[in-house]
């Protein structure tokens, strides 16, 4: 086995990108990959919107409690994202070499960690839901309502421990249409079952917020079933049981080396966002309810940006693995331009859909006023979020550089934003919307440093091995 290759480090890149022989198919390939991923993200956002609308129809307490209880899955999902980031970083480059056997082993490593994490969260959510809810709020009504949600939703965590890793691997080898159809079908089923269980259709009892959780668990179970059936027939990358305990010490070392910072980055970032929810949760249920709606607006505004980021990471990683380093700088620049314009479109989308967001839930007058301000802030906030995600999660990680983003986010959020939020809310006791505005400065504080690192090209490395 050869040592890890770093042939594409910035000091070693001497290709002339202006050569007429070099022709990029980036935009065409981006459209082919990003289209299904954006559609999948749009479906996810639609399900979130449906949850908010339906819980809002129950009452504001159900909406607020569901939003806070959802933070538990939000944290688990960050673990999934961190793991899948490691899978994408390594698998995309090995896919460029068409080394499918190594990709199978990478998937097996991801499954071992993912199943362990999802089992832990299942145990916590099913057996100690009250403890988890008290982390986010001291309101006993919200705690009692959130407990009902968490106990039922906990089963979905187990199902996703397998399906998320499998679908991520399929996207990495460019089976994005299959991944989108599978995930999209499950999420559409989720919307239908939400209505059935919440409102008691077809003679079933009205389950309220517990119905939302039950619909989620059933839909995720169906998603897992589709993945397992596909694994029985798909031969390029095979999901074999022995992958769960197959050992490859060198590959495992690479996986940990490159995915652990990405995992830590996502968890650190997610915990900071959950801490934002803790801060707002102690500012009153009006802020929590308004934030539940604005999260849907933000997700819709960034749906294209994050889809493009995922597709770009795969394309750039594949090019690096193929040794086509002369294209990577130019494609990375194109990547940034596409994201910038998609961020503008996302902000305009929030502006145009303001009447829809303002009518999504039955809010109190105070919560309604808060929502108007929060929507305005998010019109420009998503631009910073989109660009930073493209740089950190897309471009840097395509070359295996996950450590820099982790350090950047750690300093930005835990040394700046979180302390500022607590100080403004509990020491200065500023009005809630001033606290929210200060919390939303995080993306713009780090953007200049992120851009400087991008222009250094220190992130551009080939991290594959010859096994």
């Amino acid at each position: 086995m050869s040592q890890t290759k770093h042939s594409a480090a910035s000091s070693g890149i001497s290709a002339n990108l202006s050569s007429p022989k070099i022709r990029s198919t980036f935009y065409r390939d981006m459209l082919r990959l990003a289209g299904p991923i954006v559609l999948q993200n749009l479906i996810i956002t639609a399900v979130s919107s449906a949850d908010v609308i339906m819980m809002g129809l129950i009452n504001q307490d159900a909406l607020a409690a569901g939003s806070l209880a959802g933070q538990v899955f939000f944290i688990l999902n960050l673990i999934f994202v961190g793991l899948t980031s490691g899978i994408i970083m390594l698998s995309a480059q090995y896919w460029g070499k068409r080394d499918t056997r190594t990709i199978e082993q990478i998937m097996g490593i991801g499954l071992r960690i993912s199943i362990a994490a999802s089992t832990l969260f299942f145990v916590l959510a099913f057996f100690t839901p009250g403890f988890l809810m008290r982390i986010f709020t001291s309101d006993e009504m919200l705690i009692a309502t959130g407990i009902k949600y968490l106990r039922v939703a906990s089963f979905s965590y187990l199902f996703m421990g397998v399906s998320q890793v499998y679908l991520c691997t399929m996207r990495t080898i460019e089976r994005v249409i299959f991944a989108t159809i599978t995930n999209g079908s499950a999420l559409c089923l989720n919307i239908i079952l939400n209505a059935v269980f919440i409102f008691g259709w077809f003679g079933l009892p009205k389950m309220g917020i517990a119905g939302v959780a039950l619909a989620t668990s059933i839909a995720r179970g169906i998603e897992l079933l589709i993945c397992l059936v596909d694994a029985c027939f798909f031969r390029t990358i095979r999901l074999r049981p022995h992958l769960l305990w197959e050992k490859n010490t060198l590959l495992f070392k690479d996986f940990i080396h490159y995915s652990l910072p990405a995992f830590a980055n996502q968890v650190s970032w997610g915990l900071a966002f959950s801490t934002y929810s803790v801060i707002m949760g102690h500012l009153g249920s009006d802020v929590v309810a308004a934030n539940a709606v604005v999260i849907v607006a933000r997700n819709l505004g960034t749906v294209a940006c994050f889809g493009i980021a995922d597709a770009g990471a795969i394309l750039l990683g594949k090019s690096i693995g193929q040794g086509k380093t002369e294209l990577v700088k130019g494609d990375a620049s194109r990547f940034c331009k596409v994201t910038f314009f998609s961020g503008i479109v996302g902000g305009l989308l929030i502006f145009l859909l303001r009447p829809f967001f303002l009518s999504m839930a039955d809010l109190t007058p105070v919560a309604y006023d808060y929502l108007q301000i929060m929507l305005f802030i998010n019109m420009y906030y998503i631009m910073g979020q989109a660009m930073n995600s493209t740089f950190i999660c897309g471009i840097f990680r395509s070359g295996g550089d996950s450590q820099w983003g982790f350090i950047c986010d750690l300093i930005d959020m835990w040394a700046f934003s979180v302390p500022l939020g607590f100080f403004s809310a509990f020491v200065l006791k500023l009005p809630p919307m001033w606290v929210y505005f200060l919390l939303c400065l995080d993306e713009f504080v780090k953007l200049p440093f992120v851009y400087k690192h991008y222009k250094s090209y220190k992130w551009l490395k080939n991290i594959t091995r010859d096994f």
Side-chain angles (χ1 to χ4, degrees), residues 15-35:
N16 181 7
L17 292 175
S18 63
S19 170
K21 296 182 180 179
I22 297 175
R23 179 177 176 272
S24 174
T25 60
F26 183 80
Y27 292 118
R28 184 188 67 193
D29 292 339
M30 172 67 77
L31 181 62
R32 175 175 57 84
L33 287 180

Side-chain angles (χ1 to χ4, degrees), residues 349-366:
L349 188 62
I350 292 179
F351 175 75
L352 294 174
L353 293 179
R354 281 181 72 251
F356 168 72
F357 296 128
L358 291 170
S359 61
M360 275 185 67
D362 184 16
L363 302 176
T364 65
V366 174

Side-chain angles (χ1 to χ4, degrees), residues 298-378:
R298 181 189 299 167
N299 289 343
L300 184 61
T302 56
V303 66
C305 305
F306 293 152
I308 290 169
D310 289 342
I314 294 170
L315 290 175
L316 293 178
K318 180 182 175 182
S319 294
I320 295 172
Q322 290 175 331
K324 297 178 180 179
T325 54
E326 70 276 5
L327 289 177
V328 176
K329 278 187 177 181
D331 282 349
S333 177
R334 297 178 185 96
F335 189 10
C336 293
K337 292 175 183 176
V338 172
T339 303
F340 179 79
F341 286 111
S342 68
I344 294 176
V345 172
L348 290 174
L349 188 62
I350 292 179
F351 175 75
L352 294 174
L353 293 179
R354 281 181 72 251
F356 168 72
F357 296 128
L358 291 170
S359 61
M360 275 185 67
D362 184 16
L363 302 176
T364 65
V366 174
Y368 183 85
D369 290 340
Y370 286 161
L371 178 57
Q372 293 192 75
I373 298 171
M374 293 164 83
L375 285 172
F376 174 76
I377 291 173
N378 277 273

Side-chain angles (χ1 to χ4, degrees), residues 132-306:
L132 295 178
M133 285 300 300
R134 284 184 173 84
I135 295 175
F136 299 103
T137 184
S138 57
D139 189 315
E140 291 299 326
M141 179 63 73
L142 297 185
I143 292 171
T145 305
I147 287 173
K148 298 176 184 178
Y149 178 91
L150 280 175
R151 277 217 169 96
V152 181
S154 62
F155 292 94
S156 68
Y157 306 161
L158 294 174
F159 303 142
M160 294 182 70
V162 176
S163 63
Q164 295 306 294
V165 172
Y166 184 77
L167 291 174
C168 168
T169 305
M170 294 303 104
R171 284 194 296 269
T172 302
I173 62 171
E174 302 179 76
R175 286 189 75 201
V176 290
I177 294 178
F178 165 76
T180 297
I181 292 175
T182 301
N183 189 244
S185 299
L187 293 173
C188 289
L189 176 62
N190 194 357
I191 294 178
I192 297 171
L193 293 178
N194 271 347
V196 171
F197 295 136
I198 291 174
F199 305 117
W201 290 359
F202 308 113
L204 294 174
K206 294 182 179 181
M207 298 181 64
I209 193 173
V212 177
L214 180 59
T216 299
S217 293
I218 293 175
R220 291 301 185 180
I222 297 297
E223 179 182 66
L224 174 59
L225 181 61
I226 295 173
C227 291
L228 294 177
V229 171
D230 179 74
C232 294
F233 297 97
F234 186 63
R235 297 304 180 197
T236 304
I237 300 293
R238 301 186 62 187
L239 177 60
R240 293 176 277 203
H242 71 82
L243 290 173
L244 292 174
W245 55 82
E246 183 175 336
K247 291 185 178 180
N248 184 326
T249 303
L250 197 57
L251 186 60
F252 181 78
K253 180 180 177 181
D254 282 348
F255 187 92
I256 295 301
H257 177 75
Y258 293 110
S259 68
L260 190 59
F263 165 76
N265 191 177
Q266 295 299 141
V267 172
S268 173
W269 180 85
L271 287 175
F273 256 84
S274 292
T275 303
Y276 295 173
S277 296
V278 170
I279 294 171
M280 288 185 284
H282 287 82
L283 295 178
S285 63
D286 288 322
V287 179
V288 174
N291 189 55
V293 176
V294 90
I295 287 174
V296 174
R298 181 189 299 167
N299 289 343
L300 184 61
T302 56
V303 66
C305 305
F306 293 152

Side-chain angles (χ1 to χ4, degrees), residues 14-134:
S14 58
N16 181 7
L17 292 175
S18 63
S19 170
K21 296 182 180 179
I22 297 175
R23 179 177 176 272
S24 174
T25 60
F26 183 80
Y27 292 118
R28 184 188 67 193
D29 292 339
M30 172 67 77
L31 181 62
R32 175 175 57 84
L33 287 180
I37 296 175
V38 169
L39 177 60
Q40 179 180 334
N41 290 346
L42 185 60
I43 294 171
I44 293 172
T45 302
V47 173
S48 299
S49 301
D51 285 351
V52 170
I53 292 171
M54 293 180 187
M55 286 191 290
L57 292 175
I58 299 171
N59 54 55
Q60 181 168 304
D61 284 338
L63 175 61
S67 174
L68 293 176
Q71 293 299 310
V72 177
F73 170 71
F74 177 70
I75 295 172
L76 175 60
N77 192 54
L78 291 169
I79 296 176
F80 290 150
V81 171
L83 288 174
T84 54
S85 295
I87 292 172
I88 290 173
M89 275 189 287
L90 287 165
S91 295
Q93 292 201 15
Y94 280 107
W95 180 241
K97 296 175 64 175
R98 288 300 190 269
D99 187 349
T100 57
R101 184 70 185 96
T102 300
I103 295 174
E104 288 181 357
Q105 293 178 310
I106 293 169
M107 180 171 62
I109 294 170
L111 282 171
R112 287 201 296 271
I113 301 172
S114 178
I115 291 172
S118 59
T119 301
L120 173 62
F121 273 74
F122 164 75
V123 170
L124 290 173
F126 186 81
F127 293 103
T128 62
F131 166 75
L132 295 178
M133 285 300 300
R134 284 184 173 84

